[in-house]
């Protein structure tokens, strides 16, 4: 069965999506606040590598940048931010349209569900402190059927 990674256009497609999402969030007055401390110049490429791995592609993120623990720690300790999360999800949906991925409703739905889950669950799980994030977390795997057990 085709993976979400393949259906989204592989690394090229997910990189385009990451760039489109990043443009959308930087233009959003609420979500852009998450980047007030600055961001890496390669943020979109790192995000794409993360999505590649999470959506059934090669280990593009853990092979180069780090593990799930490092990603979750970046998002931890920022308190509750439900409005920002919902706006980030809306930006993602707009980025799906910007890149043409919204043209396939099944794919767009699966990608939306993944991003919404990751934003409101994985990345929001430790609002108090990055020190609360345990070591050794693995990047969650998402398929057409949703969250899967580790590879």
């Amino acid at each position: 069965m085709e993976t979400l990674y393949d259906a989204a256009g592989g690394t090229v497609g997910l990189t385009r999506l990451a760039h489109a999402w990043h443009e959308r969030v930087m233009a959003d007055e609420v979500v852009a606040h998450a980047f007030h401390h600055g961001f890496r110049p390669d943020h979109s490429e790192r995000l794409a590598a993360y999505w590649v791995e999470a959506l059934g592609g090669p280990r593009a993120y853990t092979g180069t940048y780090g593990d799930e623990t490092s990603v979750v720690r970046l998002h931890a300790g920022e308190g509750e931010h439900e409005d920002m999360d919902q706006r980030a999800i809306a930006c993602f949906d707009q980025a799906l349209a910007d890149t043409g991925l919204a043209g396939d409703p099944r794919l767009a739905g699966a990608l939306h569900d993944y991003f919404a889950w990751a934003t409101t669950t994985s990345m929001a799980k430790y609002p108090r402190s990055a020190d609360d994030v345990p070591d050794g977390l693995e990047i969650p795997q998402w398929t057409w059927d949703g969250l899967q057990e580790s590879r």
Side-chain angles (χ1 to χ4, degrees):
M1 174 185 252
E2 180 180 48
T3 64
L4 288 171
Y5 163 79
D6 292 323
T11 301
V12 171
L14 290 171
T15 300
R16 283 183 36 240
L17 181 60
H19 281 287
W21 180 79
H22 188 79
E23 284 182 26
R24 289 282 184 173
V25 298
M26 294 310 290
D28 183 285
E29 67 219 24
V30 172
V31 186
H33 176 73
F35 296 94
H36 73 278
H37 61 279
F39 57 90
R40 294 171 165 284
D42 64 346
H43 176 261
S44 294
E45 288 76 17
R46 294 169 74 91
L47 178 60
Y50 183 85
W51 289 345
V52 162
E53 191 163 336
L55 299 173
R59 294 185 183 268
Y61 193 87
T62 55
T64 305
Y65 301 114
D67 62 4
E68 179 73 358
T69 295
S70 63
V71 174
V72 174
R73 283 184 179 148
L74 285 174
H75 294 86
E78 299 296 328
E80 302 288 333
H81 41 73
E82 291 177 26
D83 183 47
M84 185 185 305
D85 291 347
Q86 292 308 309
R87 289 179 74 141
I89 294 164
C91 287
F92 183 81
D93 290 341
Q94 292 169 330
L96 288 171
D98 293 343
T99 57
L101 293 173
D104 177 343
R106 183 171 178 244
L107 174 61
L111 292 174
H112 166 89
D113 290 349
Y114 162 70
F115 188 83
W117 172 83
T119 300
T120 62
T121 304
S122 288
M123 301 305 152
K125 193 171 186 175
Y126 302 96
R128 268 196 24 237
S129 171
D131 294 336
D132 295 338
V133 180
D135 292 330
L137 296 176
E138 293 183 20
I139 293 177
Q141 302 298 297
W142 197 268
T143 71
W144 294 102
D145 296 323
L147 182 63
Q148 302 299 301
E149 295 298 319
S150 299
R151 292 193 217 202

